[in-house]
Structures are given as C-alpha cells and as structure tokens.
Amino acid sequence: KFEQQASQSLTSMLCDATCWLSDDQDTVVACDRRFDEALGKSMVGQRLNECIEDAPSVRAILASSPTEDGFVPVTLLPATLLPDNSSPLRVDLFIVSQSHEIGGRTKKEIAPLGQRAYLIGVRKAHEQLPSGPCQGSA
C-alpha cells in the first residue's frame, strides 16, 4: 500500500496527468481527471492513437521490450496531443511498460487484454526561451 501511494505521489509531482493503456497499446483503461481535462473528454475506453499527432512514434516505443535483466526503462517522447475543441498541446510522454516477466509470470498473465499494461505520464512541454545575448547587463 505504501509503495503504491509513494509511486502515485512521485508521479503526480513529475507529471501533469497520467493514463494506463491496455496490452493492445492503444485503449485507455484508466486515467486521472487531469488527463480527461487535457483532452477535453472522458478517455477511458477511448483510443489514444486517435488523440495524438505522433501515433507511429508512440506505437514504436510501446512495442519495444524491456531489457533482458527485466529492467523496464522509462522512455521520454515529445508528442502532440489533439484535444477536442482546443488547439494542439505539446507534451512530453513518459512511457513505462510492464516487464515481460514479473515473479515468474508473463505480462499476458498479469495484464490480459483490457487491463493495465502501459503507464503513460504526461507533462506539458515548456517552450524554449529565445537564445541571444543577455540584455540589461552592464
């Protein structure tokens, strides 16, 4: 219980919103209120690929496997969300896949189709400040 609360607390500090995708790498099976708000609609049961401009890049990341030692890296991917009734939203996606084998059980046993298989953290991208000489220096 403590580990779950600590993970949620850490994720909420780093991300503006989160969602879980099913093993089909597309269907949102759970998300927080902030994810729904960012996309302008309830996303549970919806296809993420229909709401993201960079869908092929996201699918390629989701299809990649964890390392042989079971380590599941977090992948950072710049993307553009396409909210309903709003302008496109530039974001950074933090993508984590469940390991293929956890405690001797395969990912399919742990997360069959329709259950949580991929955690996506969403952070609004911040525009870079224009580069140039410093102003106001003496």
PDB file of all heavy atoms in Angstrom, residues 92-124:
ATOM      1  N   ASP A  92       5.422  16.109 -23.224  1.00  0.00           N
ATOM      2  CA  ASP A  92       6.414  15.050 -23.106  1.00  0.00           C
ATOM      3  C   ASP A  92       5.688  13.856 -22.519  1.00  0.00           C
ATOM      4  O   ASP A  92       4.978  13.993 -21.526  1.00  0.00           O
ATOM      5  CB  ASP A  92       7.562  15.461 -22.178  1.00  0.00           C
ATOM      6  CG  ASP A  92       8.393  16.595 -22.744  1.00  0.00           C
ATOM      7  OD1 ASP A  92       8.627  16.601 -23.971  1.00  0.00           O
ATOM      8  OD2 ASP A  92       8.804  17.478 -21.964  1.00  0.00           O
ATOM      9  N   LEU A  93       5.849  12.702 -23.143  1.00  0.00           N
ATOM     10  CA  LEU A  93       5.245  11.467 -22.641  1.00  0.00           C
ATOM     11  C   LEU A  93       6.330  10.627 -21.974  1.00  0.00           C
ATOM     12  O   LEU A  93       7.373  10.375 -22.564  1.00  0.00           O
ATOM     13  CB  LEU A  93       4.609  10.668 -23.779  1.00  0.00           C
ATOM     14  CG  LEU A  93       3.506  11.358 -24.571  1.00  0.00           C
ATOM     15  CD1 LEU A  93       3.020  10.437 -25.688  1.00  0.00           C
ATOM     16  CD2 LEU A  93       2.356  11.753 -23.660  1.00  0.00           C
ATOM     17  N   PHE A  94       6.080  10.209 -20.742  1.00  0.00           N
ATOM     18  CA  PHE A  94       6.940   9.276 -20.035  1.00  0.00           C
ATOM     19  C   PHE A  94       6.253   7.918 -20.147  1.00  0.00           C
ATOM     20  O   PHE A  94       5.153   7.747 -19.618  1.00  0.00           O
ATOM     21  CB  PHE A  94       7.102   9.672 -18.566  1.00  0.00           C
ATOM     22  CG  PHE A  94       7.788  10.990 -18.378  1.00  0.00           C
ATOM     23  CD1 PHE A  94       7.070  12.171 -18.347  1.00  0.00           C
ATOM     24  CD2 PHE A  94       9.168  11.038 -18.238  1.00  0.00           C
ATOM     25  CE1 PHE A  94       7.701  13.389 -18.169  1.00  0.00           C
ATOM     26  CE2 PHE A  94       9.814  12.258 -18.059  1.00  0.00           C
ATOM     27  CZ  PHE A  94       9.079  13.437 -18.025  1.00  0.00           C
ATOM     28  N   ILE A  95       6.876   6.975 -20.828  1.00  0.00           N
ATOM     29  CA  ILE A  95       6.231   5.700 -21.134  1.00  0.00           C
ATOM     30  C   ILE A  95       6.949   4.574 -20.401  1.00  0.00           C
ATOM     31  O   ILE A  95       8.163   4.418 -20.514  1.00  0.00           O
ATOM     32  CB  ILE A  95       6.252   5.433 -22.651  1.00  0.00           C
ATOM     33  CG1 ILE A  95       5.553   6.585 -23.383  1.00  0.00           C
ATOM     34  CG2 ILE A  95       5.606   4.095 -22.975  1.00  0.00           C
ATOM     35  CD1 ILE A  95       5.696   6.539 -24.888  1.00  0.00           C
ATOM     36  N   VAL A  96       6.164   3.780 -19.657  1.00  0.00           N
ATOM     37  CA  VAL A  96       6.707   2.628 -18.932  1.00  0.00           C
ATOM     38  C   VAL A  96       5.851   1.416 -19.261  1.00  0.00           C
ATOM     39  O   VAL A  96       4.625   1.456 -19.142  1.00  0.00           O
ATOM     40  CB  VAL A  96       6.689   2.847 -17.399  1.00  0.00           C
ATOM     41  CG1 VAL A  96       7.301   1.651 -16.685  1.00  0.00           C
ATOM     42  CG2 VAL A  96       7.397   4.125 -17.034  1.00  0.00           C
ATOM     43  N   SER A  97       6.494   0.342 -19.675  1.00  0.00           N
ATOM     44  CA  SER A  97       5.793  -0.905 -19.949  1.00  0.00           C
ATOM     45  C   SER A  97       6.040  -1.874 -18.813  1.00  0.00           C
ATOM     46  O   SER A  97       7.131  -1.893 -18.238  1.00  0.00           O
ATOM     47  CB  SER A  97       6.325  -1.525 -21.253  1.00  0.00           C
ATOM     48  OG  SER A  97       5.837  -2.825 -21.420  1.00  0.00           O
ATOM     49  N   GLN A  98       5.035  -2.682 -18.488  1.00  0.00           N
ATOM     50  CA  GLN A  98       5.274  -3.742 -17.507  1.00  0.00           C
ATOM     51  C   GLN A  98       6.301  -4.702 -18.088  1.00  0.00           C
ATOM     52  O   GLN A  98       6.322  -4.942 -19.288  1.00  0.00           O
ATOM     53  CB  GLN A  98       3.987  -4.502 -17.212  1.00  0.00           C
ATOM     54  CG  GLN A  98       3.026  -3.752 -16.357  1.00  0.00           C
ATOM     55  CD  GLN A  98       1.881  -4.635 -15.899  1.00  0.00           C
ATOM     56  OE1 GLN A  98       1.963  -5.855 -15.939  1.00  0.00           O
ATOM     57  NE2 GLN A  98       0.815  -4.019 -15.472  1.00  0.00           N
ATOM     58  N   SER A  99       7.134  -5.253 -17.240  1.00  0.00           N
ATOM     59  CA  SER A  99       8.137  -6.227 -17.662  1.00  0.00           C
ATOM     60  C   SER A  99       7.456  -7.447 -18.262  1.00  0.00           C
ATOM     61  O   SER A  99       6.339  -7.794 -17.901  1.00  0.00           O
ATOM     62  CB  SER A  99       8.967  -6.631 -16.448  1.00  0.00           C
ATOM     63  OG  SER A  99       9.798  -7.702 -16.747  1.00  0.00           O
ATOM     64  N   HIS A 100       8.153  -8.116 -19.199  1.00  0.00           N
ATOM     65  CA  HIS A 100       7.593  -9.330 -19.790  1.00  0.00           C
ATOM     66  C   HIS A 100       7.382 -10.424 -18.750  1.00  0.00           C
ATOM     67  O   HIS A 100       6.491 -11.237 -18.872  1.00  0.00           O
ATOM     68  CB  HIS A 100       8.509  -9.874 -20.891  1.00  0.00           C
ATOM     69  CG  HIS A 100       8.322  -9.172 -22.188  1.00  0.00           C
ATOM     70  ND1 HIS A 100       7.100  -8.980 -22.768  1.00  0.00           N
ATOM     71  CD2 HIS A 100       9.214  -8.592 -23.017  1.00  0.00           C
ATOM     72  CE1 HIS A 100       7.236  -8.333 -23.898  1.00  0.00           C
ATOM     73  NE2 HIS A 100       8.501  -8.074 -24.070  1.00  0.00           N
ATOM     74  N   GLU A 101       8.225 -10.458 -17.731  1.00  0.00           N
ATOM     75  CA  GLU A 101       8.078 -11.488 -16.704  1.00  0.00           C
ATOM     76  C   GLU A 101       8.286 -10.866 -15.341  1.00  0.00           C
ATOM     77  O   GLU A 101       9.299 -10.233 -15.083  1.00  0.00           O
ATOM     78  CB  GLU A 101       9.095 -12.611 -16.926  1.00  0.00           C
ATOM     79  CG  GLU A 101       8.872 -13.788 -16.008  1.00  0.00           C
ATOM     80  CD  GLU A 101       9.767 -14.955 -16.368  1.00  0.00           C
ATOM     81  OE1 GLU A 101       9.896 -15.272 -17.539  1.00  0.00           O
ATOM     82  OE2 GLU A 101      10.320 -15.529 -15.426  1.00  0.00           O
ATOM     83  N   ILE A 102       7.322 -11.018 -14.480  1.00  0.00           N
ATOM     84  CA  ILE A 102       7.408 -10.499 -13.116  1.00  0.00           C
ATOM     85  C   ILE A 102       7.083 -11.639 -12.170  1.00  0.00           C
ATOM     86  O   ILE A 102       6.004 -12.199 -12.221  1.00  0.00           O
ATOM     87  CB  ILE A 102       6.418  -9.329 -12.898  1.00  0.00           C
ATOM     88  CG1 ILE A 102       6.727  -8.190 -13.875  1.00  0.00           C
ATOM     89  CG2 ILE A 102       6.456  -8.841 -11.474  1.00  0.00           C
ATOM     90  CD1 ILE A 102       5.717  -7.079 -13.869  1.00  0.00           C
ATOM     91  N   GLY A 103       8.038 -12.001 -11.344  1.00  0.00           N
ATOM     92  CA  GLY A 103       7.817 -13.075 -10.379  1.00  0.00           C
ATOM     93  C   GLY A 103       7.441 -14.399 -11.040  1.00  0.00           C
ATOM     94  O   GLY A 103       6.631 -15.144 -10.516  1.00  0.00           O
ATOM     95  N   GLY A 104       8.025 -14.667 -12.224  1.00  0.00           N
ATOM     96  CA  GLY A 104       7.760 -15.930 -12.908  1.00  0.00           C
ATOM     97  C   GLY A 104       6.495 -15.930 -13.750  1.00  0.00           C
ATOM     98  O   GLY A 104       6.176 -16.899 -14.409  1.00  0.00           O
ATOM     99  N   ARG A 105       5.725 -14.814 -13.726  1.00  0.00           N
ATOM    100  CA  ARG A 105       4.504 -14.737 -14.533  1.00  0.00           C
ATOM    101  C   ARG A 105       4.745 -13.810 -15.720  1.00  0.00           C
ATOM    102  O   ARG A 105       5.436 -12.804 -15.599  1.00  0.00           O
ATOM    103  CB  ARG A 105       3.333 -14.206 -13.695  1.00  0.00           C
ATOM    104  CG  ARG A 105       2.985 -15.139 -12.550  1.00  0.00           C
ATOM    105  CD  ARG A 105       1.763 -14.707 -11.799  1.00  0.00           C
ATOM    106  NE  ARG A 105       1.859 -13.312 -11.383  1.00  0.00           N
ATOM    107  CZ  ARG A 105       0.840 -12.606 -10.961  1.00  0.00           C
ATOM    108  NH1 ARG A 105      -0.357 -13.129 -10.898  1.00  0.00           N
ATOM    109  NH2 ARG A 105       0.990 -11.362 -10.582  1.00  0.00           N
ATOM    110  N   THR A 106       4.182 -14.122 -16.860  1.00  0.00           N
ATOM    111  CA  THR A 106       4.359 -13.299 -18.044  1.00  0.00           C
ATOM    112  C   THR A 106       3.459 -12.083 -17.990  1.00  0.00           C
ATOM    113  O   THR A 106       2.503 -12.038 -17.232  1.00  0.00           O
ATOM    114  CB  THR A 106       4.031 -14.084 -19.330  1.00  0.00           C
ATOM    115  OG1 THR A 106       2.629 -14.387 -19.325  1.00  0.00           O
ATOM    116  CG2 THR A 106       4.838 -15.356 -19.430  1.00  0.00           C
ATOM    117  N   LYS A 107       3.782 -11.097 -18.829  1.00  0.00           N
ATOM    118  CA  LYS A 107       2.964  -9.884 -18.888  1.00  0.00           C
ATOM    119  C   LYS A 107       1.532 -10.233 -19.266  1.00  0.00           C
ATOM    120  O   LYS A 107       0.591  -9.646 -18.773  1.00  0.00           O
ATOM    121  CB  LYS A 107       3.571  -8.898 -19.897  1.00  0.00           C
ATOM    122  CG  LYS A 107       2.784  -7.610 -19.995  1.00  0.00           C
ATOM    123  CD  LYS A 107       3.524  -6.485 -20.672  1.00  0.00           C
ATOM    124  CE  LYS A 107       3.792  -6.712 -22.105  1.00  0.00           C
ATOM    125  NZ  LYS A 107       4.310  -5.503 -22.784  1.00  0.00           N
ATOM    126  N   LYS A 108       1.345 -11.198 -20.146  1.00  0.00           N
ATOM    127  CA  LYS A 108      -0.006 -11.594 -20.558  1.00  0.00           C
ATOM    128  C   LYS A 108      -0.803 -12.135 -19.372  1.00  0.00           C
ATOM    129  O   LYS A 108      -1.997 -11.918 -19.273  1.00  0.00           O
ATOM    130  CB  LYS A 108       0.047 -12.649 -21.666  1.00  0.00           C
ATOM    131  CG  LYS A 108       0.601 -12.136 -22.967  1.00  0.00           C
ATOM    132  CD  LYS A 108      -0.466 -11.468 -23.772  1.00  0.00           C
ATOM    133  CE  LYS A 108       0.053 -11.141 -25.152  1.00  0.00           C
ATOM    134  NZ  LYS A 108      -0.682 -10.127 -25.816  1.00  0.00           N
ATOM    135  N   GLU A 109      -0.143 -12.838 -18.451  1.00  0.00           N
ATOM    136  CA  GLU A 109      -0.837 -13.365 -17.278  1.00  0.00           C
ATOM    137  C   GLU A 109      -1.182 -12.245 -16.299  1.00  0.00           C
ATOM    138  O   GLU A 109      -2.216 -12.283 -15.648  1.00  0.00           O
ATOM    139  CB  GLU A 109       0.040 -14.402 -16.564  1.00  0.00           C
ATOM    140  CG  GLU A 109       0.241 -15.668 -17.356  1.00  0.00           C
ATOM    141  CD  GLU A 109       1.300 -16.562 -16.729  1.00  0.00           C
ATOM    142  OE1 GLU A 109       2.262 -16.050 -16.140  1.00  0.00           O
ATOM    143  OE2 GLU A 109       1.144 -17.782 -16.846  1.00  0.00           O
ATOM    144  N   ILE A 110      -0.305 -11.246 -16.216  1.00  0.00           N
ATOM    145  CA  ILE A 110      -0.509 -10.163 -15.274  1.00  0.00           C
ATOM    146  C   ILE A 110      -1.516  -9.155 -15.821  1.00  0.00           C
ATOM    147  O   ILE A 110      -2.367  -8.658 -15.108  1.00  0.00           O
ATOM    148  CB  ILE A 110       0.831  -9.458 -14.967  1.00  0.00           C
ATOM    149  CG1 ILE A 110       1.756 -10.450 -14.259  1.00  0.00           C
ATOM    150  CG2 ILE A 110       0.629  -8.207 -14.125  1.00  0.00           C
ATOM    151  CD1 ILE A 110       3.181 -10.005 -14.211  1.00  0.00           C
ATOM    152  N   ALA A 111      -1.401  -8.838 -17.091  1.00  0.00           N
ATOM    153  CA  ALA A 111      -2.249  -7.802 -17.692  1.00  0.00           C
ATOM    154  C   ALA A 111      -2.863  -8.305 -18.994  1.00  0.00           C
ATOM    155  O   ALA A 111      -2.426  -7.942 -20.063  1.00  0.00           O
ATOM    156  CB  ALA A 111      -1.421  -6.547 -17.959  1.00  0.00           C
ATOM    157  N   PRO A 112      -3.865  -9.177 -18.911  1.00  0.00           N
ATOM    158  CA  PRO A 112      -4.518  -9.619 -20.137  1.00  0.00           C
ATOM    159  C   PRO A 112      -5.204  -8.447 -20.833  1.00  0.00           C
ATOM    160  O   PRO A 112      -5.372  -7.389 -20.246  1.00  0.00           O
ATOM    161  CB  PRO A 112      -5.537 -10.651 -19.646  1.00  0.00           C
ATOM    162  CG  PRO A 112      -5.731 -10.353 -18.216  1.00  0.00           C
ATOM    163  CD  PRO A 112      -4.454  -9.729 -17.717  1.00  0.00           C
ATOM    164  N   LEU A 113      -5.564  -8.637 -22.091  1.00  0.00           N
ATOM    165  CA  LEU A 113      -6.175  -7.573 -22.879  1.00  0.00           C
ATOM    166  C   LEU A 113      -7.256  -6.857 -22.076  1.00  0.00           C
ATOM    167  O   LEU A 113      -8.116  -7.475 -21.478  1.00  0.00           O
ATOM    168  CB  LEU A 113      -6.779  -8.161 -24.157  1.00  0.00           C
ATOM    169  CG  LEU A 113      -7.340  -7.153 -25.153  1.00  0.00           C
ATOM    170  CD1 LEU A 113      -6.222  -6.231 -25.650  1.00  0.00           C
ATOM    171  CD2 LEU A 113      -7.975  -7.867 -26.318  1.00  0.00           C
ATOM    172  N   GLY A 114      -7.192  -5.549 -22.069  1.00  0.00           N
ATOM    173  CA  GLY A 114      -8.181  -4.758 -21.351  1.00  0.00           C
ATOM    174  C   GLY A 114      -7.722  -4.325 -19.973  1.00  0.00           C
ATOM    175  O   GLY A 114      -8.379  -3.527 -19.333  1.00  0.00           O
ATOM    176  N   GLN A 115      -6.598  -4.855 -19.499  1.00  0.00           N
ATOM    177  CA  GLN A 115      -6.093  -4.436 -18.197  1.00  0.00           C
ATOM    178  C   GLN A 115      -4.841  -3.591 -18.377  1.00  0.00           C
ATOM    179  O   GLN A 115      -4.303  -3.481 -19.470  1.00  0.00           O
ATOM    180  CB  GLN A 115      -5.813  -5.653 -17.319  1.00  0.00           C
ATOM    181  CG  GLN A 115      -7.099  -6.378 -16.952  1.00  0.00           C
ATOM    182  CD  GLN A 115      -6.830  -7.525 -15.994  1.00  0.00           C
ATOM    183  OE1 GLN A 115      -5.712  -7.740 -15.571  1.00  0.00           O
ATOM    184  NE2 GLN A 115      -7.867  -8.248 -15.662  1.00  0.00           N
ATOM    185  N   ARG A 116      -4.369  -2.999 -17.299  1.00  0.00           N
ATOM    186  CA  ARG A 116      -3.248  -2.064 -17.349  1.00  0.00           C
ATOM    187  C   ARG A 116      -1.942  -2.743 -17.764  1.00  0.00           C
ATOM    188  O   ARG A 116      -1.500  -3.669 -17.123  1.00  0.00           O
ATOM    189  CB  ARG A 116      -3.073  -1.408 -15.995  1.00  0.00           C
ATOM    190  CG  ARG A 116      -4.289  -0.645 -15.572  1.00  0.00           C
ATOM    191  CD  ARG A 116      -4.164  -0.138 -14.166  1.00  0.00           C
ATOM    192  NE  ARG A 116      -5.418   0.483 -13.764  1.00  0.00           N
ATOM    193  CZ  ARG A 116      -5.532   1.293 -12.747  1.00  0.00           C
ATOM    194  NH1 ARG A 116      -4.489   1.570 -11.999  1.00  0.00           N
ATOM    195  NH2 ARG A 116      -6.687   1.821 -12.457  1.00  0.00           N
ATOM    196  N   ALA A 117      -1.331  -2.224 -18.836  1.00  0.00           N
ATOM    197  CA  ALA A 117      -0.066  -2.764 -19.299  1.00  0.00           C
ATOM    198  C   ALA A 117       0.990  -1.681 -19.509  1.00  0.00           C
ATOM    199  O   ALA A 117       2.172  -1.953 -19.402  1.00  0.00           O
ATOM    200  CB  ALA A 117      -0.272  -3.539 -20.595  1.00  0.00           C
ATOM    201  N   TYR A 118       0.565  -0.454 -19.805  1.00  0.00           N
ATOM    202  CA  TYR A 118       1.491   0.643 -20.070  1.00  0.00           C
ATOM    203  C   TYR A 118       1.069   1.868 -19.280  1.00  0.00           C
ATOM    204  O   TYR A 118      -0.066   2.318 -19.394  1.00  0.00           O
ATOM    205  CB  TYR A 118       1.506   1.001 -21.562  1.00  0.00           C
ATOM    206  CG  TYR A 118       1.924  -0.145 -22.440  1.00  0.00           C
ATOM    207  CD1 TYR A 118       0.972  -1.021 -22.960  1.00  0.00           C
ATOM    208  CD2 TYR A 118       3.256  -0.360 -22.736  1.00  0.00           C
ATOM    209  CE1 TYR A 118       1.347  -2.085 -23.760  1.00  0.00           C
ATOM    210  CE2 TYR A 118       3.641  -1.422 -23.537  1.00  0.00           C
ATOM    211  CZ  TYR A 118       2.681  -2.278 -24.040  1.00  0.00           C
ATOM    212  OH  TYR A 118       3.060  -3.332 -24.826  1.00  0.00           O
ATOM    213  N   LEU A 119       2.005   2.413 -18.522  1.00  0.00           N
ATOM    214  CA  LEU A 119       1.757   3.654 -17.795  1.00  0.00           C
ATOM    215  C   LEU A 119       2.311   4.800 -18.630  1.00  0.00           C
ATOM    216  O   LEU A 119       3.464   4.752 -19.071  1.00  0.00           O
ATOM    217  CB  LEU A 119       2.434   3.631 -16.427  1.00  0.00           C
ATOM    218  CG  LEU A 119       2.374   4.930 -15.620  1.00  0.00           C
ATOM    219  CD1 LEU A 119       0.935   5.322 -15.297  1.00  0.00           C
ATOM    220  CD2 LEU A 119       3.196   4.794 -14.348  1.00  0.00           C
ATOM    221  N   ILE A 120       1.481   5.814 -18.853  1.00  0.00           N
ATOM    222  CA  ILE A 120       1.899   6.992 -19.602  1.00  0.00           C
ATOM    223  C   ILE A 120       1.770   8.202 -18.678  1.00  0.00           C
ATOM    224  O   ILE A 120       0.684   8.505 -18.187  1.00  0.00           O
ATOM    225  CB  ILE A 120       1.009   7.242 -20.844  1.00  0.00           C
ATOM    226  CG1 ILE A 120       0.837   5.984 -21.685  1.00  0.00           C
ATOM    227  CG2 ILE A 120       1.529   8.435 -21.651  1.00  0.00           C
ATOM    228  CD1 ILE A 120       2.011   5.600 -22.512  1.00  0.00           C
ATOM    229  N   GLY A 121       2.886   8.861 -18.429  1.00  0.00           N
ATOM    230  CA  GLY A 121       2.875  10.121 -17.708  1.00  0.00           C
ATOM    231  C   GLY A 121       2.942  11.254 -18.718  1.00  0.00           C
ATOM    232  O   GLY A 121       3.714  11.170 -19.683  1.00  0.00           O
ATOM    233  N   VAL A 122       2.144  12.268 -18.532  1.00  0.00           N
ATOM    234  CA  VAL A 122       2.077  13.387 -19.478  1.00  0.00           C
ATOM    235  C   VAL A 122       2.531  14.656 -18.765  1.00  0.00           C
ATOM    236  O   VAL A 122       2.033  14.979 -17.690  1.00  0.00           O
ATOM    237  CB  VAL A 122       0.632  13.581 -19.996  1.00  0.00           C
ATOM    238  CG1 VAL A 122       0.563  14.741 -20.977  1.00  0.00           C
ATOM    239  CG2 VAL A 122       0.105  12.296 -20.623  1.00  0.00           C
ATOM    240  N   ARG A 123       3.474  15.341 -19.373  1.00  0.00           N
ATOM    241  CA  ARG A 123       3.926  16.624 -18.839  1.00  0.00           C
ATOM    242  C   ARG A 123       3.872  17.649 -19.973  1.00  0.00           C
ATOM    243  O   ARG A 123       4.391  17.399 -21.062  1.00  0.00           O
ATOM    244  CB  ARG A 123       5.352  16.519 -18.308  1.00  0.00           C
ATOM    245  CG  ARG A 123       5.872  17.834 -17.734  1.00  0.00           C
ATOM    246  CD  ARG A 123       7.260  17.708 -17.185  1.00  0.00           C
ATOM    247  NE  ARG A 123       8.180  17.368 -18.266  1.00  0.00           N
ATOM    248  CZ  ARG A 123       9.414  16.938 -18.082  1.00  0.00           C
ATOM    249  NH1 ARG A 123       9.879  16.746 -16.869  1.00  0.00           N
ATOM    250  NH2 ARG A 123      10.197  16.668 -19.104  1.00  0.00           N
ATOM    251  N   LYS A 124       3.221  18.768 -19.713  1.00  0.00           N
ATOM    252  CA  LYS A 124       3.158  19.824 -20.724  1.00  0.00           C
ATOM    253  C   LYS A 124       4.573  20.283 -21.047  1.00  0.00           C
ATOM    254  O   LYS A 124       5.368  20.537 -20.148  1.00  0.00           O
ATOM    255  CB  LYS A 124       2.319  20.995 -20.240  1.00  0.00           C
ATOM    256  CG  LYS A 124       0.860  20.641 -20.091  1.00  0.00           C
ATOM    257  CD  LYS A 124       0.071  21.808 -19.548  1.00  0.00           C
ATOM    258  CE  LYS A 124      -1.359  21.377 -19.270  1.00  0.00           C
ATOM    259  NZ  LYS A 124      -2.110  22.405 -18.550  1.00  0.00           N
TER     260      LYS A 124
END
